[in-house]
Amino acid sequence: MTALERLRAEAAESDQSAGAAEYERLAAAPPDELAEALTAGGLPLWARELAAYRLGLAGDRRAFEALVLLLNHRDPPRCTTAAEALAVLGDPRTARAAAALATNPLRTAYALQPVRLLTALRAPESAPALIATLTRLLSPHDPYWRIALACVEGLGTLADPRAREVLLRAQSHPRLAVTATGALRALPPSPG
């Protein structure tokens, strides 16, 4: 299901005819109306998400703050939609925001999309944030192995030599070992 299909379904569930009509209005609204929807009172979350998503895909930076809030949402589909729009948006603040979310130890459960976004952005902040997050998640019995796996995958994609040490450590974790080995192969040869 695409983001727009999910949002249309949420609108229909929220208030049958009124929700469907509001969805159609926002789906066709020009950028200024979408930007107004981001700050208008009384709109449901799906409506704000739709407005931010459309603005983000259009490259309109007025969507940035709303998209970062959605990237940090507890609902994974909202995080995914926000990450998709932020990747297209091209706002220079995006990598810093994603790095802050990915490295926040209080929000680790919601870090999957920020980690993936950092990988897609290939920004200067990407590898250091993924290294820091993975380092923290390599403690024994950490429950966030999926986030750690996304970090390992991202570091393999980025092929940043600074990741060598943490990837070597990740090889000792059963759920990360194969991917960490592949990521290490992607790194340039170490000097010497």
Side-chain angles (χ1 to χ4, degrees):
M1 177 182 288
T2 68
L4 294 177
E5 290 169 340
R6 178 181 56 78
L7 292 169
R8 175 177 273 138
E10 282 187 41
E13 290 172 11
S14 68
D15 185 7
Q16 305 296 328
S17 59
E22 182 65 10
Y23 176 89
E24 294 305 326
R25 183 185 76 75
L26 288 171
D32 287 342
E33 284 183 37
L34 294 172
E36 287 175 20
L38 293 178
T39 58
L43 285 180
L45 182 57
W46 67 261
R48 293 180 197 287
E49 182 182 356
L50 176 59
Y53 181 70
R54 286 201 52 229
L55 283 172
L57 292 182
D60 191 318
R61 292 187 180 171
R62 293 177 287 183
F64 176 77
E65 287 84 6
L67 290 171
V68 169
L69 287 173
L70 290 165
L71 183 64
N72 193 33
H73 199 275
R74 68 182 179 276
D75 186 17
R78 293 198 198 290
C79 299
T80 301
T81 299
E84 180 184 337
L86 282 165
V88 173
L89 182 61
D91 191 299
R93 301 171 290 176
T94 300
R96 284 189 309 274
L101 294 174
T103 58
N104 183 340
L106 300 176
R107 302 297 292 172
T108 303
Y110 310 109
L112 183 61
Q113 290 306 323
V115 164
R116 289 181 176 162
L117 178 58
L118 284 165
T119 301
L121 293 173
R122 295 179 172 267
E125 297 89 345
S126 296
L130 297 184
I131 291 167
T133 302
L134 180 57
T135 298
R136 188 180 76 244
L137 298 177
L138 290 179
S139 62
H141 311 295
D142 191 282
Y144 301 112
W145 66 270
R146 286 182 177 87
I147 309 300
L149 182 61
C151 289
V152 171
E153 291 168 346
L155 290 168
T157 299
L158 296 173
D160 190 308
R162 295 175 290 180
R164 187 173 313 282
E165 181 184 328
V166 73
L167 290 172
L168 286 167
R169 288 182 45 220
Q171 284 184 305
S172 67
H173 290 260
R175 291 179 166 162
L176 306 177
V178 172
T179 306
T181 300
L184 282 163
R185 284 190 198 117
L187 298 182
S190 57

